[in-house]
Amino acid sequence: GQNNPNKIIAPKTSIKNVGKRYIKENKWGRERTKSGARLAIIRFGNCIGADKDIADITAKDGYAFAKHLEDEYQAANKTIKSSVSYVKGMFTWAITVPEYASINSNPWPKLLLTKFGNASEEYLPFKPEQISALFALAKLDGKGRMNRREHLLLSILIATGCRLDEAALLCWENVIKHK
């Protein structure tokens, strides 16, 4: 194939390129945090242009990103704040990389995000009869039956208050018997 002279090549310090390197090289405590950061950076690139140089990012881009999350994904305020925080983390990391001499400060030190997204909604707890109906599924034969793993997972969720991802990723080393 021939090189296209009109093809725009993303700068080394584009959102796309810095984001990929950040996801690859940053020390992540949890896989969930890493995947959340990856998704936020991709969405940010979709919003303002993945080829835009990070040195050209301003607070206006941060607010545009928050509005984009609200409009395109109907994101709650909490989700918007965490997505913005993930992208801010990329900027902070980029400052420490010598090759990224063009970025010397985080462009979003204090974005006011309270007006974006919906307020978090309270979850409605199950009623005792609903819990009984759920656990009765384990006793059914055939279609509609709850398997042993699902039963165990549901039991862990109800007994511990863990979130679904926490309970699903448990291994025996994480289980501590208490009383």
Side-chain angles (χ1 to χ4, degrees), residues 50-170:
D51 292 338
K52 187 169 183 172
D53 194 306
I54 61 169
D56 297 333
I57 303 299
T58 66
K60 287 194 179 295
D61 295 314
Y63 290 119
F65 181 43
K67 185 74 174 131
H68 174 77
L69 293 171
E70 179 181 51
D71 294 346
E72 294 299 315
Y73 302 100
Q74 293 73 48
N77 181 261
K78 189 175 175 182
T79 303
I80 291 170
K81 285 179 178 178
S82 67
S83 295
V84 166
S85 179
Y86 285 135
V87 177
K88 278 174 67 170
M90 177 186 69
F91 295 138
T92 301
W93 172 84
I95 294 167
T96 70
V97 178
E99 302 96 276
Y100 299 155
S102 63
I103 183 163
N104 294 305
S105 63
N106 194 320
W108 299 347
K110 291 183 178 164
L111 295 180
L112 302 172
L113 300 171
T114 54
K115 69 177 188 168
F116 294 96
N118 303 317
S120 298
E121 295 179 13
E122 293 293 318
Y123 290 104
L124 296 174
F126 284 116
K127 295 177 178 134
E129 53 275 8
Q130 290 173 313
I131 292 173
S132 294
L134 275 172
F135 279 102
L137 294 174
K139 297 181 176 89
L140 286 178
D141 285 329
K143 199 171 189 169
R145 175 179 160 77
M146 181 189 303
N147 68 40
R148 290 177 59 204
R149 280 189 167 163
E150 291 166 342
H151 186 272
L152 177 60
L153 184 57
L154 187 60
S155 301
I156 290 169
L157 291 170
I158 289 173
T160 65
C162 286
R163 294 190 306 251
L164 179 59
D165 66 316
E166 294 170 333
L169 297 173
L170 279 175

Side-chain angles (χ1 to χ4, degrees), residues 9-23 41 50-52 54 90 93 100:
I9 301 192
K12 179 172 67 173
T13 53
S14 69
I15 296 297
K16 176 174 46 181
N17 291 335
V18 173
K20 282 181 184 176
R21 185 170 171 190
Y22 171 59
I23 296 300
I41 292 165
D51 292 338
K52 187 169 183 172
I54 61 169
M90 177 186 69
W93 172 84
Y100 299 155

